[in-house]
């Protein structure tokens, strides 16, 4: 399991490595919001404002609701030429997140 999935911060990871005498491995260093370039931070900020869609009967996660994203772009003063890039990043993140959420739901035993 990745350190970020366990809720370990970058600082905590380095402290653990120091305490155990291990060399930090690049692949295990948790990525934090500030590590991303401004465009990705902007896409993730917008992504977080979007409403989640759930399928009611089976409880599957359907992804983020994109209705109203133009209004959000307007509120954040996103230039028109940047919107397609940001939308593509949002869709990419949503696809990965949707897959992860639904896989975790499948792993849970039925109540």
């Amino acid at each position: 399991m990745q350190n970020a999935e366990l809720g370990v911060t970058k600082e905590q990871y380095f402290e653990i490595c120091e305490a155990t005498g291990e060399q930090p491995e690049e692949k295990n260093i948790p990525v934090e919001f500030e590590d991303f370039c401004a465009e990705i931070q902007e896409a993730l900020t917008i992504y977080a404002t979007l409403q989640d869609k759930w399928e009611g009967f089976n409880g599957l996660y359907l992804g983020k609701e994109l209705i109203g994203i133009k209004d959000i772009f307007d509120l954040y003063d996103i230039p028109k030429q940047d919107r397609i890039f940001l939308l593509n990043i949002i869709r990419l993140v949503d696809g990965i997140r949707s897959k992860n959420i639904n896989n975790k739901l499948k792993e849970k035993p039925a109540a």
Side-chain angles (χ1 to χ4, degrees), residues 19-49:
T20 60
E22 294 182 24
Q23 262 319 96
E25 292 185 40
E26 188 71 32
K27 68 178 184 170
N28 293 332
I29 299 172
V31 178
E32 295 179 351
F33 187 76
E34 296 77 23
D35 295 332
F36 294 110
C37 66
E39 293 85 359
I40 301 301
Q41 288 182 18
E42 196 168 49
L44 293 174
T45 299
I46 292 169
Y47 181 78
T49 66

Side-chain angles (χ1 to χ4, degrees), residues 4 19 39 57 65 72 103 107:
E39 293 85 359
F57 185 70
E65 181 64 65
I72 294 170
N103 285 340
E107 293 171 3

Side-chain angles (χ1 to χ4, degrees), residues 86-97:
L86 292 178
L87 183 59
N88 286 333
I89 297 300
I90 288 167
R91 285 184 172 157
L92 177 67
V93 169
D94 198 39
I96 294 167
R97 182 170 177 253

Side-chain angles (χ1 to χ4, degrees), residues 55-93:
E55 194 276 324
F57 185 70
N58 293 317
L60 292 176
Y61 179 71
L62 301 175
K64 290 289 189 173
E65 181 64 65
L66 296 178
I67 293 174
I69 196 165
K70 181 188 178 305
D71 295 328
I72 294 170
F73 284 153
D74 290 342
L75 286 171
Y76 281 97
D77 292 323
I78 306 297
K80 293 212 186 283
Q81 66 270 17
D82 295 343
R83 293 178 182 197
I84 291 175
F85 172 76
L86 292 178
L87 183 59
N88 286 333
I89 297 300
I90 288 167
R91 285 184 172 157
L92 177 67
V93 169

